[in-house]
Amino acid sequence: MGSASSAYRVIYLDVDGRIQKVVFSKFCSPYDIKELFCTAVGLRRNTVLSLLDSAGALVSIDPHMPHNTERSPYKVVPLSGGQLGDKEELFQNVLTQVAEQFSRAFKINELKTEVTNRLTMLEKRVELEGMKVVEIEKCRSDIKKLREEMASRNNSHFLDDNKMLTLRRDVPSYPKYHLSQETMEALRKPTFNVWQWEPNEMLSCLEHMYHDLDLVRDFNMNPVTLKRWLLCIHDNYRMNPFHNFRHCFCVTQMMYSMICLCGLQETFNQVDILVLMTAAVCHDLDHPGYNNTYQINARTDLAVRYNDISPLENHHCAVAFQILSQPDCNILSTFDPESFQHIRQGIITLILATDMARHGEILDSFRHKVDSFDFTDEEHVTCLKTMLIKCCDVSNEVRPMEVAEPWVDCLLEEYFTQSDREKAEGLPVAPFMDREKVTKPTAQIGFIKFVLIPMFETVMKLFPQIEEVMVQPLRESRDRYEELKQIDDAMTEVQRKKSQNLTTGNGK
């Protein structure tokens, strides 16, 4: 460690033949140092002056100016006409104080340091991955986004209490797509390709689901209000790689297909169907792209607000009901207060159940009920609804490989962005999110084997019809990723032996 004195500089001045010693911090501004010199030699603070060394050369006045000794003091030369009048000096002092206050208020220095550190990290990534053109472009995009983020000082990534929700007040203008009979049939199946549709088309598909399930008719919803609500939902999902509006559509479409496949309208009442669909639509609203572990470890506003208890899921619920509190977007306006409260509680219960930290608890509860399940028991039905939204939330691997695999890339991209940030901020990094440790097969095998298959097989006890279209695709996906892992392991072993042989050869 350096001595404390290394943070200070000592300069000697020649004041009419007298040597004046001046000490100042290396962190002083040139303006502060000049004022200090003026005071030391008995001049007015704002006198314009120059310093000359023993050879008569001008010396710059700044924190890094060349040091000297008592034997070689700098000569102070006041410049004629350089002094300011009293009023001008007072005005200059006021301006200086105002500038200092603004500097403190906006933390310009801290912000600049943070920008510099983060940009340095991203630019190193560009340098290290220089042979991968696609990744270079991604890093450049990250740098651009980071510059914009730092410029707006939007470091929290959360919905501010004072921020107005993005809300459409006008009559919705997205075109009403006339879905073909083929599309309407495909929407009812887990094999539906969610990548083929633009946002406006997805909005029309969601609108169709609410009409097809008779929710609009049975609850006397205003069709224009439904449009406005869906538009507002769309506008309050962020442009994250994974947790975005397409994910919202994906989960809701899977819920719709499970309602159709399992005949849930025959066993559930319409309020339960409304709760299932609406919770699916709202379950990840305003997701910041950083999971609960990050929120808690980084002590973000959301973690503090919700006492580290499912901060994201609580936030999704809050945003959902902020949207519904707007009269133009309130699809539940026809319900009386008691019914509204019942529906509200149902939606909250389902969205909170999507926190994977509660996975074991919810699955165990359902396992204890499934063998003697009673559709007239409200507790049993609520437990089943939480299982259904959990299944839909993580159902990508149920879909065909060409639909499911791009979602893995999206999820890993979001994970890697978080782990890079955690490393930069000195926070713990989960191995399954670390770009240096995880691969597609290793990311998926454990999740499919120990989370997805057991969960879907438990639901299959109640609805055997899902085995062929949901459980079997999961088993096939597990087998495919295990084969890929074997190939990866074999290639790694070949590479290891090749490196070992080269090392042995060089040592002979």
Side-chain angles (χ1 to χ4, degrees):
M1 294 177 63
S3 64
S5 62
S6 63
Y8 295 90
R9 293 189 74 82
V10 178
I11 296 296
Y12 295 92
L13 304 178
D14 181 352
V15 183
D16 297 330
R18 175 176 60 85
I19 303 301
Q20 175 67 53
K21 178 181 178 181
V22 180
V23 181
F24 58 86
S25 167
K26 289 183 179 180
F27 304 105
C28 286
S29 69
Y31 183 83
D32 293 335
I33 298 170
K34 183 181 74 67
E35 282 197 344
L36 185 61
F37 287 172
C38 288
T39 302
V41 300
L43 297 173
R44 296 171 67 90
R45 289 172 57 195
N46 289 294
T47 300
V48 180
L49 54 80
S50 296
L51 294 188
L52 302 178
D53 64 13
S54 56
L58 284 170
V59 180
S60 65
I61 302 177
D62 60 61
H64 305 289
M65 61 191 297
H67 65 82
N68 61 356
T69 65
E70 290 183 77
R71 295 183 179 181
S72 58
Y74 294 141
K75 185 175 181 180
V76 181
V77 181
L79 301 182
S80 59
Q83 295 184 346
L84 300 174
D86 291 339
K87 291 184 179 179
E88 292 172 313
E89 180 179 0
L90 178 60
F91 180 72
Q92 184 66 35
N93 290 339
V94 170
L95 283 180
T96 301
Q97 292 174 16
V98 169
E100 291 173 351
Q101 289 172 3
F102 270 103
S103 177
R104 287 194 296 270
F106 292 103
K107 300 182 179 178
I108 292 172
N109 291 334
E110 292 87 340
L111 184 60
K112 184 176 179 181
T113 301
E114 183 175 356
V115 171
T116 302
N117 291 341
R118 295 289 302 282
L119 290 179
T120 300
M121 180 189 72
L122 288 171
E123 286 163 351
K124 283 182 179 176
R125 281 177 53 195
V126 172
E127 201 172 59
L128 291 172
E129 300 175 12
M131 298 301 293
K132 301 178 182 178
V133 177
V134 174
E135 292 186 19
I136 289 175
E137 290 305 316
K138 179 186 177 301
C139 286
R140 286 174 178 164
S141 174
D142 287 347
I143 292 171
K144 181 180 178 182
K145 289 179 183 177
L146 182 58
R147 290 185 191 277
E148 294 170 352
E149 179 187 354
M150 292 296 103
S152 63
R153 304 186 75 247
N154 182 25
N155 297 320
S156 62
H157 294 281
F158 314 125
L159 184 71
D160 184 20
D161 286 334
N162 299 318
K163 172 187 168 186
M164 292 298 291
L165 289 166
T166 306
L167 182 62
R168 305 272 184 144
R169 290 288 182 180
D170 56 328
V171 175
S173 58
Y174 69 83
K176 171 67 176 177
Y177 289 92
H178 296 286
L179 305 181
S180 66
Q181 189 63 36
E182 181 183 5
T183 299
M184 289 189 285
E185 288 299 320
L187 266 177
R188 291 169 164 259
K189 300 175 182 177
T191 52
F192 186 79
N193 190 342
V194 296
W195 295 106
Q196 293 180 342
W197 308 89
E198 296 299 322
N200 284 347
E201 295 171 317
M202 290 188 281
L203 287 167
S204 285
C205 287
L206 290 171
E207 190 180 350
H208 165 76
M209 295 175 201
Y210 271 73
H211 282 279
D212 186 54
L213 294 171
D214 292 327
L215 299 177
V216 177
R217 184 199 68 190
D218 290 354
F219 299 120
N220 197 25
M221 288 183 192
N222 184 333
V224 175
T225 301
L226 176 63
K227 279 177 172 283
R228 286 199 183 100
W229 177 69
L230 288 171
L231 276 168
C232 196
I233 291 292
H234 167 269
D235 292 345
N236 283 282
Y237 271 92
R238 301 196 192 188
M239 301 293 288
N240 298 315
F242 184 90
H243 291 99
N244 50 40
F245 179 69
R246 193 175 298 276
H247 169 66
C248 153
F249 175 72
C250 195
V251 173
T252 309
Q253 186 273 324
M254 186 62 72
M255 180 66 77
Y256 175 65
S257 69
M258 290 196 80
I259 291 171
C260 298
L261 180 65
C262 301
L264 294 183
Q265 285 188 293
E266 299 172 11
T267 51
F268 284 177
N269 60 49
Q270 280 293 81
V271 169
D272 288 330
I273 300 298
L274 175 65
V275 167
L276 282 169
M277 290 294 292
T278 306
V281 169
C282 299
H283 83 284
D284 270 334
L285 274 168
D286 198 47
H287 195 298
Y290 297 85
N291 68 14
N292 279 332
T293 301
Y294 174 83
Q295 309 299 327
I296 294 168
N297 288 339
R299 302 176 185 176
T300 64
D301 291 343
L302 285 186
V304 172
R305 181 179 303 165
Y306 296 112
N307 303 306
D308 294 349
I309 301 171
S310 303
L312 287 180
E313 290 70 26
N314 274 293
H315 180 59
H316 305 325
C317 292
V319 176
F321 283 95
Q322 279 182 284
I323 292 172
L324 287 168
S325 70
Q326 306 293 329
D328 289 346
C329 296
N330 187 4
I331 60 171
L332 307 178
S333 62
T334 59
F335 290 92
D336 60 65
E338 184 178 351
S339 299
F340 175 85
Q341 189 59 35
H342 174 73
I343 293 169
R344 169 177 159 81
Q345 190 55 56
I347 292 171
I348 291 172
T349 298
L350 266 58
I351 293 177
L352 292 181
T354 61
D355 183 357
M356 286 303 293
R358 297 182 55 205
H359 175 75
E361 162 207 335
I362 294 171
L363 182 58
D364 287 345
S365 176
F366 185 69
R367 279 173 171 162
H368 285 109
K369 297 176 176 63
V370 68
D371 291 331
S372 56
F373 194 86
D374 183 0
F375 279 99
T376 64
D377 186 321
E378 186 176 350
E379 183 182 348
H380 282 218
V381 171
T382 298
C383 189
L384 172 58
K385 287 189 292 186
T386 61
M387 285 293 292
L388 291 173
I389 196 167
K390 281 175 59 60
C391 286
C392 294
D393 189 25
V394 292
S395 62
N396 289 325
E397 290 300 332
V398 167
R399 300 180 186 274
M401 180 188 71
E402 63 272 14
V403 179
E405 191 164 8
W407 281 116
V408 182
D409 295 321
C410 293
L411 184 61
L412 288 179
E413 182 181 355
E414 199 165 290
Y415 280 175
F416 294 160
T417 299
Q418 175 172 321
S419 63
D420 289 344
R421 181 166 185 162
E422 287 169 333
K423 291 174 185 178
E425 295 178 0
L427 299 175
V429 178
F432 70 89
M433 300 180 81
D434 192 335
R435 68 174 67 248
E436 298 173 4
K437 298 179 181 178
V438 72
T439 63
K440 261 195 209 179
T442 57
Q444 292 301 94
I445 291 171
F447 188 67
I448 295 172
K449 286 176 66 173
F450 302 114
V451 176
L452 296 185
I453 291 178
M455 180 167 63
F456 276 85
E457 284 182 340
T458 306
V459 174
M460 186 180 72
K461 291 181 178 181
L462 205 57
F463 302 108
Q465 59 267 48
I466 74 169
E467 179 172 18
E468 181 181 352
V469 294
M470 292 187 172
V471 179
Q472 189 56 34
L474 287 175
R475 294 167 181 158
E476 292 170 0
S477 180
R478 173 201 60 197
D479 295 343
R480 184 171 63 87
Y481 279 115
E482 285 182 337
E483 289 176 8
L484 288 174
K485 185 176 184 301
Q486 289 175 1
I487 293 171
D488 286 351
D489 290 345
M491 292 178 66
T492 301
E493 181 63 17
V494 169
Q495 194 65 36
R496 187 188 66 80
K497 288 182 177 179
K498 184 185 293 186
S499 299
Q500 190 176 31
N501 290 338
L502 285 173
T503 304
T504 304
N506 291 334
K508 288 183 177 180

